[in-house]
Amino acid sequence: MADAAAASADDDGPVTGDGSGTESESADRSLLGAVLACSLLATALRLLDLGARTAHWDEGRHGYAVLRYGATGVWEYRPILHGPLLAHANRLLFDVLGAGDAVARLLPALLGGMLPLAAWLFRERLRRSEVLSLAALLAVNPALLYYSRFARSDLLVATFAFVTVGLLVRLLDTRDPGYLYAASVSFALAVASKENALVYLACWLGAGALLVDHRLFWKRWSLVGDGDRRLAAPDWFRDRIDEAVLLFAVLNPVVVALLPGVGRFAVIVLLLVALRCALWVVPDEGEAFPAIVGVGVAALSILVLVGDGVVATYAVAWLVAGAYVLGVLLRGSAAGRTLSLWRGPVLFSGVVFTVVVAALYLPRGQSLDAVAGDPLLLADLVEQALFGSWTAASELWFGSVQDQSLLPYTTFFLRTLLAGAAVTVVFGIAGFLLDRYRDGGSRDLVAFCGYWGLASVLVYPVVMYGMGPWHAVHVAVPLAMPAAVALSLVYRWGRDAVTDRRTVPAALAVLVLTGAAGTAVGAAVTTSYHSPASPDNGLVQSGQPGTDLDPALAQVSAATAGHGGGPDVLYYGAYFAMDDESAADRLPVTDEYGWRNDSYRQLARNEAWYNRLPLPWYFEQQGLETASARNATALRAALTSPPPVIVARAVHRDTVARELGGGYEQYDLQLTVNGTDTVVFVNASTGR
């Protein structure tokens, strides 16, 4: 409760614990009403004209995949399509509301609208004005607003991660295990939203380590004697720990599994030494040592016999061994009694987390249907959902996609933050520093979120796949906390200046607050409503079409209505053509390779399908059949029975028009924000 005590240093104290009676309850209700108003405003902003912007390349791919999922009932985790939560939710929404851009974006919009409510979870750690400032920042931040109106999972994982932190803070404030269970569900939904939930976990661990360093080591080390430093740790802990336990902690099966470049034999020997050193850690009467050695030997056996393919097994082995060591170290202490008391809730929350993640990652289709006839198959599906998904994701994110140069990605990321979260970043840095160096020291919650945001700024240029402006979301959310502290402080300065009739400070405070509000709101309106697809918009990624496709799509719909006896849409040219149109029946679309004439070669070129996006999303909604013509000869053959719609690059306009000979209207499109000039030929007679 240190944060709550620090927050109550003035009359703008925390929501609870700073008063009693009707007046305090009325103030609490007023603040809750204000937070709800921010949430309602945020929801309205996100739902306003939600389907106006043409689908981005990524939205089109996701929407197409969900339509195919609905048509076939088959779904399997593919890391390039990200977590399953949005796909499962949108399948249900499409069934109920019909497929469309607005419906595809509905879940991110609703969650983004509810995100300001998370500020209420921190009410015992923040002042009232800080809670309200936090809710307001989460409501109108330009990056959060833009990507709440976008069918991607970044907003989902950011929301669930932030709520998880809030629930854990409530757990610390109330000691109510219900918050632990809710946090396990929330983080499970974050993991099911997108793989970078694990990046959040890493950032939290880093932020937590910095807090431990600051709170435990920096503030609690004292100089004694001739200058030697000694940690002010409890005697029961200092008497039971030495270098051996540190060696045991570092040289564990997980580390061995993750260091394939280290000599395997040397690592095994060191691990055995570390296990033997556990005798120095466990007291003479400790019954845990045989179990520790047994688990270690089992892990080593798996390591020697199997190799690097079962990292999860190493993790389980280390968790078991570590739990035994921790239990012995904490025996008889207050921390040990607390651990014993919470053992059941922690175990149950872990089970809840695992069940939710497994249920969402389970493959759908024939494999799941077969469980009804043979329940034993469920174990294989759960293994595929948990470990197979992790393997697939790690192969992508820790493999080929991480070959990019760091400097251009960092520069791009900083420009994106300036375009979509400038107020949050500037005030976030100011709030972190002001809170850190104030009288009484910084509050843990503010410092944690500041470290979390800083870690995100450093990490995402390294882990991002492609230059996606949506990664700004993952910085804007944690930095909103210290930014709210800075805004609240400016407000209190201005309020005090007005009370004391100090004109200049009051005017400066008003100027800062109105400037911040004007900058954030102006950027939000410009990026989300005025120019949501402009190349000058810093939040627009290159896969966003540069023109509105609706007029052409309306003509396509009219021209293909009732058409039969052949494909509805013909793609012309090598840029769009596929050798096998059926390859797109289920994503991902890949080229086909195999042996022919005693050589391994490319048999079919299919990945040009991705160049068509987002058109397949719109054509699939209408149930249109597609075909390809790679060259003029194939085009002439296809035109023996002319399709009502032909799509080609603009450079092929004259070729296609000459072969058609007239009767088609032309619609110019830009499939990306900076070009990919495309022309759509629509049969004028059927389009009327």
Side-chain angles (χ1 to χ4, degrees):
M1 298 297 292
D3 284 2
S8 61
D10 59 24
D11 58 346
D12 180 28
V15 176
T16 59
D18 65 334
S20 60
T22 304
E23 183 177 353
S24 176
E25 293 175 359
S26 176
D28 296 350
R29 287 196 298 269
S30 297
L31 179 60
L32 178 57
V35 172
L36 288 171
C38 288
S39 179
L40 290 175
L41 173 63
T43 303
L45 291 174
R46 284 150 177 78
L47 295 179
L48 177 63
D49 210 6
L50 185 58
R53 178 177 51 81
T54 298
H56 177 273
W57 189 94
D58 219 27
E59 293 179 295
R61 180 180 59 175
H62 166 79
Y64 178 89
V66 174
L67 288 175
R68 297 304 307 161
Y69 172 26
T72 64
V74 176
W75 181 89
E76 184 177 343
Y77 170 69
R78 304 289 186 183
I80 200 65
L81 294 174
H82 303 307
L85 181 61
L86 186 58
H88 294 327
N90 276 352
R91 183 192 174 183
L92 295 176
L93 291 173
F94 289 176
D95 289 343
V96 175
L97 302 176
D101 290 341
V103 178
R105 299 164 182 160
L106 186 58
L107 180 61
L110 293 177
L111 285 176
M114 291 187 288
L115 179 58
L117 294 176
W120 186 248
L121 295 172
F122 304 102
R123 58 190 179 272
E124 292 194 29
R125 302 291 178 124
L126 299 175
R127 298 177 174 89
R128 290 184 174 88
S129 57
E130 292 170 343
V131 172
L132 184 56
S133 298
L134 177 58
L137 283 169
L138 296 175
V140 300
N141 177 275
L144 297 181
L145 176 59
Y146 190 90
Y147 286 106
S148 294
R149 298 164 53 83
F150 204 102
R152 274 189 66 91
S153 297
D154 292 88
L155 192 282
L156 274 64
V157 68
T159 298
F160 288 125
F162 194 65
V163 169
T164 300
V165 171
L167 291 170
L168 292 176
V169 168
R170 291 297 297 155
L171 173 66
L172 294 175
D173 291 341
T174 66
R175 299 298 192 268
D176 182 352
Y179 286 110
L180 179 61
Y181 307 144
S184 66
V185 173
S186 179
F187 191 63
L189 294 176
V191 170
S193 296
K194 193 179 178 184
E195 302 80 4
N196 68 322
L198 300 179
V199 177
Y200 274 81
L201 185 59
C203 290
W204 292 343
L205 291 175
L210 290 174
L211 274 184
V212 170
D213 174 72
H214 183 68
R215 294 296 180 188
L216 180 61
F217 289 87
W218 180 252
K219 287 196 171 185
R220 298 185 63 184
W221 280 75
S222 59
L223 294 176
V224 295
D226 58 355
D228 293 335
R229 289 186 172 184
R230 183 176 61 188
L231 178 62
D235 291 339
W236 61 265
F237 186 79
R238 199 165 57 241
D239 292 342
R240 296 187 180 189
I241 192 169
D242 58 13
E243 292 80 359
V245 73
L246 299 178
L247 182 65
F248 181 74
V250 172
L251 295 174
N252 60 76
V254 178
V255 173
V256 174
L258 296 178
L259 294 176
V262 179
R264 190 67 67 191
F265 178 76
V267 173
I268 291 175
V269 170
L270 289 175
L271 182 56
L272 287 172
V273 171
L275 288 170
R276 182 64 180 83
C277 289
L279 276 177
W280 304 341
V281 180
V282 181
D284 295 339
E285 69 277 8
E287 305 87 356
F289 181 69
I292 295 174
V293 175
V295 171
V297 171
L300 289 172
S301 301
I302 295 173
L303 178 66
V304 173
L305 298 176
V306 180
D308 295 327
V310 285
V311 176
T313 304
Y314 309 148
V316 171
W318 168 237
L319 286 174
V320 173
Y324 275 112
V325 172
L326 186 63
V328 172
L329 287 175
L330 298 181
R331 184 179 300 157
S333 67
R337 289 190 292 271
T338 301
L339 181 64
S340 177
L341 180 65
W342 283 89
R343 181 171 51 193
V346 169
L347 178 62
F348 181 70
S349 65
V351 172
V352 170
F353 171 84
T354 304
V355 169
V356 173
V357 171
L360 289 170
Y361 274 92
L362 277 176
R364 306 302 200 265
Q366 294 180 349
S367 55
L368 185 60
D369 296 338
V371 173
D374 185 1
L376 295 179
L377 294 176
L378 183 61
D380 292 335
L381 293 182
V382 171
E383 180 181 2
Q384 180 180 346
L386 296 177
F387 304 122
S389 299
W390 162 254
T391 300
S394 60
E395 287 176 353
L396 176 68
W397 296 105
F398 301 126
S400 59
V401 303
Q402 300 308 325
D403 296 333
Q404 66 260 18
S405 176
L406 182 59
L407 181 59
Y409 276 77
T410 302
T411 303
F412 164 80
F413 192 48
L414 294 177
R415 286 201 308 266
T416 301
L417 291 176
L418 182 63
V423 171
T424 300
V425 170
V426 170
F427 279 86
I429 295 172
F432 174 78
L433 295 176
L434 289 170
D435 191 79
R436 181 177 181 84
Y437 297 111
R438 70 183 181 88
D439 292 339
S442 63
R443 288 170 284 175
D444 289 343
L445 176 62
V446 178
F448 176 84
C449 289
Y451 290 138
W452 171 12
L454 175 62
S456 299
V457 172
L458 298 176
V459 167
Y460 274 96
V462 178
V463 302
M464 69 169 62
Y465 176 40
M467 292 187 178
W470 41 77
H471 292 101
V473 167
H474 308 300
V475 174
V477 168
L479 284 187
M481 181 71 71
V485 170
L487 288 171
S488 170
L489 185 58
V490 174
Y491 161 76
R492 297 198 307 277
W493 284 345
R495 180 196 60 191
D496 295 342
V498 170
T499 302
D500 298 338
R501 299 183 181 276
R502 291 179 287 121
T503 306
V504 173
L508 288 175
V510 171
L511 181 63
V512 170
L513 292 176
T514 55
T519 301
V521 172
V525 170
T526 300
T527 54
S528 291
Y529 305 107
H530 184 264
S531 56
S534 169
D536 298 327
N537 185 339
L539 294 178
V540 172
Q541 203 261 356
S542 59
Q544 175 64 46
T547 54
D548 183 8
L549 305 188
D550 285 346
L553 291 172
Q555 295 302 314
V556 169
S557 178
T560 56
H563 176 259
D568 302 294
V569 179
L570 177 69
Y571 289 96
Y572 172 70
Y575 186 79
F576 292 128
M578 297 172 60
D579 291 344
D580 179 13
E581 292 287 328
S582 65
D585 288 346
R586 184 180 172 201
L587 297 186
V589 180
T590 59
D591 294 335
E592 181 181 348
Y593 294 86
W595 287 94
R596 181 170 293 174
N597 298 329
D598 297 326
S599 64
Y600 190 78
R601 62 180 65 182
Q602 185 180 49
L603 303 180
R605 287 172 286 182
N606 296 318
E607 289 188 333
W609 180 87
Y610 292 103
N611 295 331
R612 304 174 177 181
L613 289 167
L615 293 177
W617 154 238
Y618 294 110
F619 292 162
E620 185 70 15
Q621 291 179 45
Q622 302 177 31
L624 303 184
E625 181 184 348
T626 63
S628 298
R630 191 173 293 276
N631 50 46
T633 301
L635 176 62
R636 294 189 195 100
L639 292 181
T640 56
S641 178
V645 179
I646 300 174
V647 180
R649 290 296 302 272
V651 295
H652 300 310
R653 181 195 307 271
D654 294 341
T655 300
V656 176
R658 183 172 58 251
E659 295 296 334
L660 287 174
Y664 282 73
E665 294 180 352
Q666 301 179 23
Y667 296 88
D668 292 318
L669 308 176
Q670 286 186 338
L671 294 187
T672 58
V673 70
N674 291 315
T676 315
D677 294 331
T678 302
V679 58
V680 177
F681 295 83
V682 180
N683 191 318
S685 60
T686 58
R688 291 191 177 93

